[in-house]
Amino acid sequence: MKKILVTGGAGFIGSNFINYILKTRKDVFIVNLDKLTYAGNLKNLTGVENHPNYTFIKGDIVNDELVRYIFQKYRITHVINFAAESHVDRSILGSEIFFRTNVLGTNILLETAKYFGIEKFVQISTDEVYGSLGPEGQFEETTPLQPNSPYAASKAAADMMALAFHHTYGVPVVITRCSNNYGQYQFPEKLIPLLIINSLNDQKLPVYGDGLYVRDWIYVIDHNKAVELVLDEGKIGEVYNVGANTEKRNIEIVKLVLKQLGKSEELIEFVKDRPGHDRRYAINSKKIKKQLGWEPDYSFENAMRDTINWYIKNEKWWKEIISGEYINYYKLQYQA
Ligand code: NAD
Ligand code: DAU
């Protein structure tokens, strides 16, 4: 039985991971440590909250005493570190919390893993650590890191710390660097859910700059299947890029959402650009495909249709976020 500390499991990718893995496997026990920041939402996990192989702890990865207590109490064998401040625009407005959670928090998890000894530490990183591409080429695992936003810099620092802990102390670290995710439970500050929700509400769709920035999109389930494979079979000390070869200009995504929802392109509003905006991301995933046999299962067209339909059907989920009501859920459930 793998006893896995999943951090940030109430966020978008982490909650999808927990829902997926508890549905498909019996050989895992999950301890979900999440601070429940604005981005953490226990409503993402209502299907598993009473699962016998799951427990939730509200707490901060920067709290070293709590982290040590969890490792000891649950005899943690594996860590998957999803916890992070994840939004680039917020990091531009204020970088300190990004440094605290993404760098210091990862460092505390690594120190604790070193102290107790574990089988594997999966650090969930991002393609943004590589910086920005011109019109040609792709990021490979050997591409030098050149992070451009405070968010990306904090993730790159965490990666370097993780690799240093492997090199110096033999902590069994593996890193994944994935491209832009989309799917159910994504917080509505990110491009795709923002576009869907604004369209449904007949509100303007803000497009930064000329709208010709390129992102490489992957469905969250495909990303999580890669994380699972890396957890089981990823080679210690290695970095694996994860992406589904789906480059799209932002404006293409905007038009696709409007078309699928039958809304007018008059809702498009070009707004002031993000400072330091990376022009293009494109990720080369040959290594994980060749070494671990990973392949994405979902096409962009089908998974986007499913995602849009999910937001249509789950209006209550995002309306509670927009109203701030979701923040009270933990208190109502556990602290009454
Ligand atoms: P998210 O913002 O939706 O969720 C982050 C979660 O971490 C939240 O539940 C939050 O409460 C929790 N958290 C934040 N600070 C914490 C702390 N100090 N202690 C404990 N928990 C804390 O993020 P996401 O989009 O699900 O991203 C998850 C991970 O994947 C991040 O590490 C991110 O860098 C990485 N990533 C994201 C994408 C993407 O497109 N969203 C792509 C590649 C990599
Ligand atoms: O590449 C992986 C990264 O993808 C992750 O590491 C980050 O955690 C995740 O937030 C995401 O970062 P991006 O900055 O690429 O995602 P975001 O959804 O914020 O923006 C996607 C693109 O859309 C980007 O070019 C900026 C643009 N954009 C975004 C918003 C929110 C707009 O044009 N308008 C908007 O309102």
Side-chain angles (χ1 to χ4, degrees):
M1 172 79 80
K2 286 185 167 72
K3 293 178 182 156
I4 309 172
L5 173 61
V6 172
T7 68
F12 163 50
I13 303 176
S15 64
N16 271 288
F17 179 81
I18 293 172
N19 285 321
Y20 161 74
I21 201 134
L22 288 175
K23 206 179 285 169
T24 53
R25 288 172 67 151
K26 292 196 165 61
D27 65 335
V28 295
F29 184 87
I30 304 287
V31 180
N32 175 13
L33 171 63
D34 196 297
K35 187 179 169 187
L36 299 183
T37 66
Y38 78 93
N41 186 353
L42 288 178
K43 292 257 169 113
N44 302 357
L45 293 158
T46 45
V48 298
E49 63 192 8
N50 296 318
H51 195 290
N53 290 6
Y54 173 75
T55 194
F56 172 72
I57 297 170
K58 181 177 191 270
D60 192 331
I61 58 168
V62 176
N63 181 343
D64 54 353
E65 270 180 36
L66 174 66
V67 172
R68 273 202 299 276
Y69 166 80
I70 292 170
F71 268 71
Q72 193 158 32
K73 173 163 183 192
Y74 294 98
R75 303 194 180 285
I76 295 299
T77 58
H78 295 72
V79 174
I80 309 179
N81 183 25
F82 290 101
E85 288 294 333
S86 69
H87 196 45
V88 173
D89 290 327
R90 286 179 190 256
S91 81
I92 294 167
L93 294 173
S95 59
E96 194 180 327
I97 187 70
F98 284 75
F99 191 86
R100 187 179 181 278
T101 290
N102 300 1
V103 187
L104 187 57
T106 302
N107 192 58
I108 282 164
L109 293 170
L110 288 164
E111 283 286 1
T112 315
K114 179 185 101 186
Y115 180 81
F116 284 98
I118 59 167
E119 290 172 35
K120 201 173 269 182
F121 187 116
V122 183
Q123 172 65 9
I124 305 297
S125 185
T126 167
D127 61 357
E128 298 206 9
V129 297
Y130 297 119
S132 185
L133 291 164
E136 302 294 329
Q138 289 185 317
F139 299 131
E140 303 197 3
E141 287 83 355
T142 49
T143 302
L145 304 195
Q146 205 180 341
N148 288 321
S149 70
Y151 161 70
S154 69
K155 293 296 288 185
D159 283 18
M160 295 294 94
M161 196 55 91
L163 291 173
F165 267 66
H166 168 62
H167 186 80
T168 309
Y169 308 114
V171 175
V173 165
V174 189
I175 295 178
T176 60
R177 294 190 182 135
C178 190
S179 61
N180 283 62
N181 285 224
Y182 64 96
Q184 58 188 11
Y185 300 122
Q186 187 165 30
F187 196 82
E189 66 190 349
K190 303 291 189 329
L191 181 69
I192 288 180
L194 180 91
L195 296 175
I196 299 170
I197 291 169
N198 281 16
S199 303
L200 288 170
N201 286 333
D202 291 310
Q203 282 169 355
K204 292 283 186 191
L205 310 189
V207 178
Y208 297 168
D210 60 8
L212 301 180
Y213 292 84
V214 174
R215 295 293 181 264
D216 190 351
W217 294 94
I218 183 171
Y219 190 48
V220 64
I221 302 292
D222 278 331
H223 177 191
N224 279 331
K225 284 187 176 168
V227 173
E228 181 186 22
L229 211 48
V230 166
L231 176 78
D232 290 335
E233 293 168 34
K235 224 170 123 199
I236 304 295
E238 297 284 320
V239 175
Y240 294 96
N241 283 350
V242 183
N245 271 324
T246 310
E247 285 183 58
K248 303 277 175 204
R249 294 190 176 111
N250 292 340
I251 194 71
E252 286 178 68
I253 308 267
V254 174
K255 290 186 177 169
L256 183 147
V257 170
L258 287 170
K259 188 164 175 220
Q260 196 163 322
L261 291 173
K263 301 285 178 168
S264 159
E265 290 190 7
E266 282 176 18
L267 287 178
I268 297 173
E269 182 172 44
F270 288 92
V271 298
K272 197 165 178 283
D273 210 348
R274 170 186 284 175
H277 198 168
D278 285 338
R279 191 62 168 168
R280 174 173 167 259
Y281 301 148
I283 196 122
N284 183 320
S285 317
K286 270 197 199 131
K287 180 175 168 180
I288 192 169
K289 288 180 176 167
K290 197 163 165 227
Q291 276 193 18
L292 307 183
W294 175 81
E295 283 292 338
D297 292 328
Y298 294 85
S299 74
F300 181 72
E301 289 66 29
N302 289 344
M304 265 301 279
R305 200 187 44 235
D306 289 353
T307 301
I308 293 174
N309 286 336
W310 186 86
Y311 281 88
I312 294 172
K313 281 198 205 109
N314 291 276
E315 191 180 271
K316 190 168 181 294
W317 179 86
W318 55 261
K319 283 205 163 150
E320 282 180 2
I321 289 181
I322 288 169
S323 70
E325 218 178 290
Y326 74 110
I327 297 278
N328 294 320
Y329 181 65
Y330 173 77
K331 288 193 196 118
L332 289 174
Q333 197 187 18
Y334 297 99
Q335 294 181 341

